[in-house]
Amino acid sequence: MTNANFEPVIIGFTCNWCSYRAADMAGTARMKYAPNVRLIRLMCSGRLDPTFIFKALSGGADGVLISGCHPGDCHYIDQNYKALRRFHLTRRVLIQMGMEPGRLKLLWASASEGAIFAAEINKFVEEIRQLGPLNWKIPGELTDIPTQKSQVEVPA
Amino acid sequence: MTERIGVYVCHCGTNIAGVVNVAEVSEWAGKELAQNGVVISRDYKFMCSSLGQELIQKDIQEMGLTRVVVAACSPHLHEATFRTACKNAGLNPYLCELVSIREQDSWVHTDKEAATYKAKAIISGGVARVAHHESLEPLRVPIHPDTLVVGGGIAGIQAALEIADAGFHVYLVEREPSIGGHMAQFDKTFPTLDCSACILTPKMVQVGNHPNITLLTWSEVTKVEGYVGSFAVTINKKARFVNTDLCTGCGICWEKCPKKVLDEVFEAGLGNRKAVYTPFPQAVPKYPVIDAPNCTFFIKGTCKACEKFCPPGAIDFNQKDEQITIPVGNIILATGYDLFDVKRIPQYGYGRLENVFTSLEFERLSNAAGPTSGNIVLRDGKTVPKTVAIVHCVGSRDQNYNPYCSAICCMQSLKFAHLVHERTGAEVYNFYIDIRTPSKGYEEFYNRLLEEGTNFVRGKVAEVSNVARVPAEEGKLVIQVEDTLIGRQRRIPVDMVILSAGLQSRQDSKEVAKLFGISCSADNWFIERHPKLDPVATMTDGIYIAGCVQGPKDIPASVVQGAAAAARVLGKIQQKEISLEPVRASINEEQCSGCRICNDLCPFNAILFHEDKVVSEVNPALCQGCGTCVAACPAGAISGTGFSNDQILSQITGVLLLRVNEPGFVQQ
């Protein structure tokens, strides 16, 4: 598969309350985004077991999106912070395993942010398109991967 | 594969079929997913119609389906419909899975081929997932018959009265010393010009006297725990420094109080009140409060004039804030709105040019019970204006401030124009972008204003200044505006300017939303469950919204919503019990290692640890089903119904089925 006709497949995990609703809202408002993402609904981003990410990547996904309520807005008080922790942890594990950390994205989207949700998906699809198909290298072979903590920080 | 799965692909008219090739998807699912247990796959124009549902039910009964996958709209819309359909055909409702090929596919993609491909992928995920569904029974919890209404404006008053009249108890919490809300500040109401107080105060009195209403004014909700049917709400009753058991509301205390305080709230800064006060004469309850930060006794330690003169001895300077916790089954939020701060538009001169007024100031000015006894005069308190400008859409329909229409300002401005005209005979100019009068009797009111001779200038006011260019502008306020109907810039000198400020969400709406566990829109209005079909419920069961807290609206609409929210609550109370989604975590004692990692993760303290057995256990009554503990358990001892590891991992494999079959795909 060459990069030219490469269509990435992205698995997106959304929480039931904010980000799945943002997806619903994007739909109701007919906001267009790239068809490369397949969403899986969880009750909370805190339900995200890092195993799901590895399962998705090992099963054929090129990128994984985690999406939840904004910090402070969690339906379950503060469980999205647990997702935030796991996101950072998993990104580091990805690096250690020889995968680009950019294949994992965290997106906070409230129920009213359909437009942001759609725009961020488009952005992520393009980022993954740039990275190309998941090509799991032997650890150590991977060059040009950021390893400094500051370089793998998430956007606010 | 032991499960017999039916796949039902909905056209939703052309909503789905216009983009997704539903026939192809259905055929593909029947053929390619047969190995995953699919025994029948059908497409139909409207699956949610009774005919569509019958189709599914017939298959369940005749083909012995054990699982159903419906590929249609969002589960938030029709999951209940198809679950009920399954139940009616004798299949456990939780053995049904919805795949959103409308909101997540046909409505957001334009490439038909890609959308069809995606539909297949996500249906494959649904099929893989549904095989791991379990038969579940909804959790039945009793509903506490009492209701909490937060906010004592007209929406909250209406809601409280409806429920109380139906025979159930209501706690009405209001932050200010009296109920009444913004409506109590108004003089007249559009379009009928009813006296606002005359129609509101009887309702306020009814609330105050109602045996089924516990009125908690000067109080705020500080904590909300629990869930629908059994919330525990903690309310802070701020110290009134008045013993309400003794107080008769005679008013001697505020007569004798020597301290005058500018009333920024009720009189909008136009009038004074005392340090011990009720906001207005018809206040309910009649008991005053002592405004401690402004009270001479609290500042200097001497005075106590109110205490000396109070006939029943009701003043109590030692009163402390009191926390009470009440059990309620449902909550209605009717916390209202804030007025747009017109100082944010400096070119309109509010605060700098003294005869520029806000709409709320004008309401007080025109109110017979207000600081000028209803005389419409300039800031000097005596000069009657000869020309008055009313500026519409201040802070509304403006990308720099609030993009939305505040819904009430046109009619409010027309009302102002009428009142000015009627009471002063002044020349009135209304500056508008568009006149919006979409309600019963509103357009007629507009026509009446046109006949009365009010001048309407179509154009957004650029500036209000006091800089005269010609002698006629000397000593006047000058409105600079482009009259877009004649295509010319105009300068209109006036004596008084009224800024018809828009409505915006309460300053603390985000915190309030968080307190009650509901969501805000981008403009911080509370989000309803469905914008059209469920405008009073929220996504959180048992929490309802009414009035302007949901978005700008006028009095009739607020009353309607208050009553509607009450009807929803009454319906719930009458059911006595409510079904909750059986999405709960449980711990397999055999597998639990007793590491206690889960214990601290639970925000609801639903996980208890048995010291004797060295295992943890989930209390299903407290568990809300977020699944964080399930994800965190290193021993994999916790399972979450509805979202088990098996379900999600299979769904991941399912949605990637097409991918791994793609030519050239290399398994990593």
Side-chain angles (χ1 to χ4, degrees), chain B residues 261-294:
Chain B
V261 183
L262 185 67
D263 187 350
E264 303 268 11
V265 180
F266 192 80
E267 294 293 0
L270 283 186
N272 294 320
R273 58 167 169 81
K274 295 295 184 65
V276 54
Y277 72 107
T278 60
F280 51 104
Q282 307 97 318
V284 172
K286 61 193 171 189
Y287 319 119
V289 297
I290 293 179
D291 169 15
N294 282 310

Side-chain angles (χ1 to χ4, degrees), chain B residues 101 201 212 254 293 352 369 417 447 458 546 667:
Chain B
I101 57 168
T201 49
N212 285 336
W254 63 83
R352 181 166 46 87
N447 287 332
R458 185 175 182 274
Q667 180 83 42

Side-chain angles (χ1 to χ4, degrees), chain A residues 16 21 24 33 58 62 134, chain B residues 74 76 109 539 659 667:
Chain A
N16 181 53
R21 257 151 228 291
D24 273 358
Y33 58 84
S58 72
D62 304 294
L134 178 65
Chain B
S74 168
H76 290 144
H109 305 318
M539 277 317 300
R659 183 55 184 292
Q667 180 83 42

Side-chain angles (χ1 to χ4, degrees), chain B residues 121-328:
Chain B
I122 55 180
I123 289 172
S124 163
V127 167
R129 187 187 204 280
V130 83
H132 295 276
H133 279 211
E134 296 166 282
S135 294
L136 300 171
E137 288 305 320
L139 300 170
R140 311 282 306 169
V141 294
I143 293 194
H144 196 285
D146 294 359
T147 304
L148 170 72
V149 177
V150 186
I154 184 61
I157 288 174
Q158 185 69 30
L161 283 175
E162 298 276 357
I163 297 170
D165 284 345
F168 296 100
H169 199 85
V170 178
Y171 295 91
L172 179 59
V173 174
E174 166 60 48
R175 167 147 78 181
E176 296 297 329
S178 168
I179 56 169
H182 281 106
M183 192 177 166
Q185 292 170 285
F186 303 160
D187 180 44
K188 296 282 185 285
T189 57
F190 58 75
T192 50
L193 300 172
D194 282 307
C195 156
S196 188
C198 313
I199 54 176
L200 176 66
T201 49
K203 277 185 178 288
M204 291 166 57
V205 172
Q206 248 183 301
V207 168
N209 294 337
H210 209 294
N212 285 336
I213 297 179
T214 303
L215 184 55
L216 300 163
T217 55
W218 203 235
S219 300
E220 283 183 79
V221 175
T222 53
K223 198 162 91 184
V224 181
E225 288 179 303
Y227 46 88
V228 58
S230 52
F231 291 106
V233 180
T234 306
I235 294 161
N236 182 34
K237 288 172 74 178
K238 291 179 278 185
R240 258 191 141 89
F241 305 108
V242 171
N243 184 338
T244 52
D245 293 334
L246 300 175
C247 176
T248 59
C250 66
I252 290 175
C253 55
W254 63 83
E255 254 170 48
K256 298 293 179 187
C257 176
K259 183 70 179 279
K260 273 189 183 169
V261 183
L262 185 67
D263 187 350
E264 303 268 11
V265 180
F266 192 80
E267 294 293 0
L270 283 186
N272 294 320
R273 58 167 169 81
K274 295 295 184 65
V276 54
Y277 72 107
T278 60
F280 51 104
Q282 307 97 318
V284 172
K286 61 193 171 189
Y287 319 119
V289 297
I290 293 179
D291 169 15
N294 282 310
C295 167
T296 310
F297 172 72
F298 282 102
I299 297 168
K300 295 186 180 153
T302 56
C303 178
K304 292 197 174 184
C306 49
E307 191 184 35
K308 267 174 234 149
F309 288 100
C310 178
I315 302 290
D316 176 6
F317 286 107
N318 296 321
Q319 231 176 44
K320 297 268 178 296
D321 286 7
E322 188 192 344
Q323 308 275 336
I324 58 164
T325 300
I326 51 164
V328 293

